[in-house]
Amino acid sequence: PAARHVKLNGARALGLEVIERLRHMIADTHIPIEKDFHAGVEAIAAAATRRHGIQCTVELPKARPAPALENQVALHGLLRDALASLAQHASSTQVLIRIETDGDRLQLDMIHGADGPADPSRERFRIAALAARARAVGGDLRAHNRADGRTTISLWVPTRAS
């Protein structure tokens, strides 16, 4: 009976831990895009810090035109997935997220320095998958290595729906 009680308590504790993790996952996926696109970017960055340990710095433009709602949804999803991928495959612990506007398009840059070696085949696949999703909303995504050893992932989307 005592061993059975210990096993039941262990199962209960594990169940409560799973429920708590699910609560965090649900909270991380609820981003208030319909209220403020830029606040959503900051919320995604904060969630990446909580969930993956990535320290995100967000630089927003003074003028803050938001893209069309469908593009907001796409951008938020791309940003969330890119940060998760950076944490997992590139071992990044610090990312600068910079948003700029240029006429009828919005540019989102993620600048990171990997803290460990990245798998080149996974990097190419990750970038290609993210780029295909950006093109689906009339945008583009590119990655390039900088002279300082860091990598920039640049994402452009139109501010109007395509």
Side-chain angles (χ1 to χ4, degrees):
R4 186 180 205 180
H5 185 66
V6 169
K7 285 183 181 180
L8 285 173
N9 282 340
R12 181 178 183 273
L14 181 60
L16 292 173
E17 182 182 333
V18 168
I19 289 170
E20 188 62 24
R21 285 185 182 183
L22 286 171
R23 283 185 182 143
H24 285 287
M25 288 173 65
I26 291 167
D28 288 350
T29 59
H30 176 72
I31 305 298
I33 59 171
E34 64 280 350
K35 294 181 182 176
D36 182 350
F37 168 73
H38 296 87
V41 169
E42 290 177 325
I44 291 167
T49 297
R50 284 191 310 274
R51 188 174 223 192
H52 305 293
I54 297 176
Q55 294 301 313
C56 297
T57 303
V58 179
E59 291 181 1
L60 299 173
K62 290 182 182 178
R64 295 186 177 190
L69 184 60
E70 70 183 47
N71 292 355
Q72 289 183 40
V73 172
L75 268 172
H76 283 160
L78 284 162
L79 176 61
R80 184 183 308 116
D81 293 349
L83 289 173
S85 186
L86 288 174
Q88 183 178 9
H89 301 300
S91 303
S92 293
T93 58
Q94 294 185 354
V95 177
L96 170 63
I97 301 166
R98 181 182 300 140
I99 296 177
E100 298 175 357
T101 55
D102 179 17
D104 62 348
R105 69 182 204 161
L106 181 138
Q107 179 173 335
L108 188 148
D109 290 328
M110 290 166 278
I111 303 165
H112 73 96
D115 297 323
D119 179 344
S121 63
R122 285 190 164 187
E123 284 289 302
R124 281 192 299 274
F125 176 76
R126 174 180 62 86
I127 295 300
L130 292 171
R133 289 172 55 196
R135 285 190 299 275
V137 292
D140 195 14
L141 182 140
R142 303 203 184 203
H144 64 275
N145 295 325
R146 298 164 36 125
D148 62 6
R150 301 188 321 168
T151 300
T152 298
I153 299 171
S154 297
L155 169 64
W156 301 272
V157 296
T159 53
R160 295 194 170 110
S162 53

